[in-house]
Amino acid sequence: MPRSHCYCLSGYIIYFSLLIHTLASPPLHLCLHDQRDALLEFKDEFPIDELDPVPWNKITSTDCCFWKGVTCDDKSGQVISLNLHDTNLNGSLKANSSLFRLQHLRHLNLTGCSLQGEIPSSLGNLSRLTLVDLSQNDLVGEIPSSISNLKRLRYVNLGANELSGEIPFSVGNLNQLRYLILAANMLTGEIPSSLGNLSRLLDLRLSINNLVGQVPAFIGNLTELQVVSLGQNKLNGSVPKSFANLTKLYHISLRSNYLTSTLPFDMSGFHNLEHFDVGNNSFLGSFPKSLFLIPSLQVVNLEDNQFTGTIDFVNTSTSLPNLDYLNLGSNRFHGPIPESISRFLNLGELDLSLNNFTGTIPRSISKLANLDVLDLSDNKLQGQVPGSLWRLTTMTLSRNCFSSFEKPNPSEETLIQALDLNSNSFRGPLPHWFCKIQWLSFLDLSNNLFNGSIPPCLSNSIVSFTCLILRNNSFSGLLPDIFSNATELRSLDVSRNKLEGNLPRSLISCVSLRLVSVESNRIKGQFPSWLGSLPSLHVLILRSNDFYGPLDESVGFESLRVIDLSHNDFTGTLQPHSFSSWRGMTTVREEDDPYMADIINYSTFYRNSMVLVIKGVETSFERIQQDFRAVDISGNRIYGKIPESLCLLKELRLLNLSGNAFTSDIPRSLANLTKLETLDLSSNNLSGQIPQELGELSFLSYMNFSHNLLRGHVPRSTQFQSQRCSSFSDNSGLYGLEEICGETHVLDPTSQQQPEELAESEEPMFNWIAAAVAYGPGVFCGLVIGHIFFNSRYYKLVGEKKLKVTSSAR
């Protein structure tokens, strides 16, 4: 969970509690001189924040008890609280800081203050402290063992820093402690047994660290515990049976560990439980029916385990009115989705993806009036999609066997914003009522059996689209000219259909476009150089169409990273400056991807991937990184020299110029492409020698120079010696192939006979196409669909619970 959401309320709760305390008991005395002097020295340890209109260390009164964040005892005048939460101190706490002269300090809140460095052991000198909050800073080093000197401590929050080392054993001496929050650090080692002494502990949060070992059984003896959060560590083994003693728990998170075994058979004893998260472990066994007998439940996450069998929500008349989030995804559940799902009257998000559910969507799901997000992807569901589901905002039904859908209920408002129906059996023309969906932003209909034309009426709703994915259907006719108002559109993929005509000129209005793929259609026209003015276009796939004419106008395209123009009918020569404006292939900078931070609350099944076609066999390579750069103009009729401007594309990983009519020498400047991994120059009319400098390209793992007029010695380097013999075939003037082809396969330059290995298919051995496309349309849309756990609804629940926890810290 991101740190800003885990801990952002702590400082504010403390602040307002202190403020109420201050207003209720106004100081009767001026603060003491020694206290004032200590505060003045402390403020001088940090620079004034010029951006803060009322900096904490700007003196506004002669009485330090009225300074920002300072609270004094109303009788003695001693400073008892310093609350500087979210103040930009931008410095470190020194071991001899004057802060540690405030010996009567009870509350110290420096959360979110940009503190750096280590926590000084001098903190242990403030023996009257009952509350310490140093969370959301950049503190490093170990937790000082001197913290055990603070015998009065009730609340400790050091979360969301970069603290390392083990949890000090001496923490177990703080027998007044109620709240121990060390989450989101880099702590190692096992959970110390001394924590079993903290019999008054209400809240234990050690999540998002590198803790190892088993979940200790002693935690079950801390019977006052209300919150246990141990998620995202490296804990193993089983959940101790002693956890059954924790009947006051309302929040338990063990997610993302290596926990095994089964859950307790009877969990109904956790009668206060609201949040239960054991996702991303290896739990076994059947569906935990008893868990769903707890009326207080709000969040249940069992995703990514090995639960098996059918699911049964217990056939009773009792509903669970508070359950808001249910995730059973990525398990081995099977059978039908039970009609009893309707018991969860307040359910807002339901994820049953990546299981083996069969049958149809139960009609009772229409009773879930608050359902907002539904993910049923990757199952074996079939039949019709109920019309009642169009009132959801996010629906993911991909990779099932659905064949049709009902029209939306005219009495209900259609609210769908993200709709993923890819890889099903939908067929026939696209219903025209799709054009009436007002808020649709993400639409994926790929890998179905849709046919007919793409309805021009989509122009009514495309104004809100960020992603339109119609890949791999049988749509025919023209790609309609509907994009004049699609200024938010980021990804357009209509690949592998039967579309024809020209690319619609209205695409020039799509100023947010990152990806355009029209691969494997019948689209014609000259190279759309006008797309070069789109400021953010990263991927352009025109592969396998009927484009024709020269490429000498390929200027612009400053953000381009991947371009595939292969298997068209482009002709002419490439000008020396052809690639000089493609700045997106010259550098990789973090700021190149500002849209990646613009993730709205959807989750994706699109993965960064591409497909390589090697000797006619498609092989998918997933998770291609965002720094991937590729140029493929193979299978055209381009001739002349390979332009030297290619050497400017320093981030290029793949270059395919095969199947053209390039002549002259291979430019030595290609050796400047130091990140090149794939180079295919086969089936051209290239002459001269293979540049020896190419042997120094340490990342070059695949190359093909076959079917040219090359001569001379093949470079002797590891990269060249590891290639297949066929990569050099049909170049009668090449020699030095003994180590690559073997002695018996070395050609006699005067012989017309070819060894069998060298006489392989005339097709280029290496081609590539995008499958989802290169980076994945979901990434370019800034969308994720399904698997929504850390989303706004989840944060709201955790945030409210955080309020409940910290407000009682005093």
Side-chain angles (χ1 to χ4, degrees), residues 50 70 89 97 148 187 235 251 277 334-335 400 491 505 510 526 535 611 654 685-686 693 717 736 745:
E50 301 294 342
V70 176
L89 298 181
S97 172
S148 62
L187 299 173
L235 302 173
H251 181 114
D277 183 0
H334 60 82
N400 279 285
S491 182
R505 280 274 181 170
C510 303
Q526 294 191 331
V611 167
L654 181 151
N685 295 314
L686 297 169
E693 293 86 347
S717 72
H745 284 175

Side-chain angles (χ1 to χ4, degrees), residues 123-124 126-127 129-130 132 143-158 167-182 194-202 222:
L123 181 67
L126 300 178
S127 59
L129 279 176
T130 63
V132 173
I143 299 172
S145 58
S146 63
I147 198 172
S148 62
N149 298 336
L150 309 179
K151 302 295 186 182
R152 302 183 185 183
L153 267 183
R154 300 178 65 199
Y155 181 100
V156 174
N157 188 351
L158 305 180
I167 300 173
F169 191 86
S170 58
V171 171
N173 298 331
L174 303 175
N175 54 21
Q176 300 296 315
L177 204 59
R178 300 293 184 90
Y179 301 88
L180 179 58
I181 304 173
L182 305 178
S194 62
L195 299 190
N197 300 329
L198 305 179
S199 58
R200 298 188 178 188
L201 202 62
L202 302 177
L222 306 177

Side-chain angles (χ1 to χ4, degrees), residues 525 527 542-551 563-574 631-639 656-662 682-685 764 767:
F527 177 70
L542 305 183
R543 178 187 179 94
S544 298
N545 277 284
D546 296 325
F547 290 100
Y548 60 87
L551 292 174
I563 185 168
D564 186 351
L565 308 180
S566 63
H567 301 287
N568 281 282
D569 196 26
F570 291 116
T571 59
T573 61
L574 296 179
V631 172
D632 188 345
I633 55 177
S634 62
N636 285 283
R637 292 191 293 147
I638 302 171
Y639 57 89
N656 190 351
L657 305 180
S658 66
N660 283 284
F662 286 107
S682 63
S683 299
N684 281 285
N685 295 314
N767 287 311

Side-chain angles (χ1 to χ4, degrees), residues 435-451:
C435 300
K436 299 179 182 180
I437 303 177
Q438 185 177 2
W439 307 109
L440 196 57
S441 176
F442 180 101
L443 177 62
D444 185 353
L445 304 179
S446 61
N447 303 312
N448 279 287
L449 302 171
F450 289 109
N451 57 31

Side-chain angles (χ1 to χ4, degrees), residues 403 405 425-431 448-453 473-475:
S403 57
F405 27 68
S425 298
F426 294 106
R427 63 185 64 243
L430 187 65
N448 279 287
L449 302 171
F450 289 109
N451 57 31
S453 62
N473 281 282
S474 294
F475 288 113

Side-chain angles (χ1 to χ4, degrees), residues 705-726:
F705 300 96
S706 63
H707 308 295
N708 278 288
L709 305 173
L710 299 170
R711 57 183 173 79
H713 202 289
V714 174
R716 298 179 62 87
S717 72
T718 302
Q719 286 72 25
F720 276 81
Q721 301 304 310
S722 62
Q723 299 303 305
R724 298 185 62 172
C725 185
S726 57

Side-chain angles (χ1 to χ4, degrees), residues 543-561:
R543 178 187 179 94
S544 298
N545 277 284
D546 296 325
F547 290 100
Y548 60 87
L551 292 174
D552 57 358
E553 296 181 8
S554 55
V555 295
F557 298 100
E558 293 191 359
S559 298
L560 199 63
R561 302 169 180 200

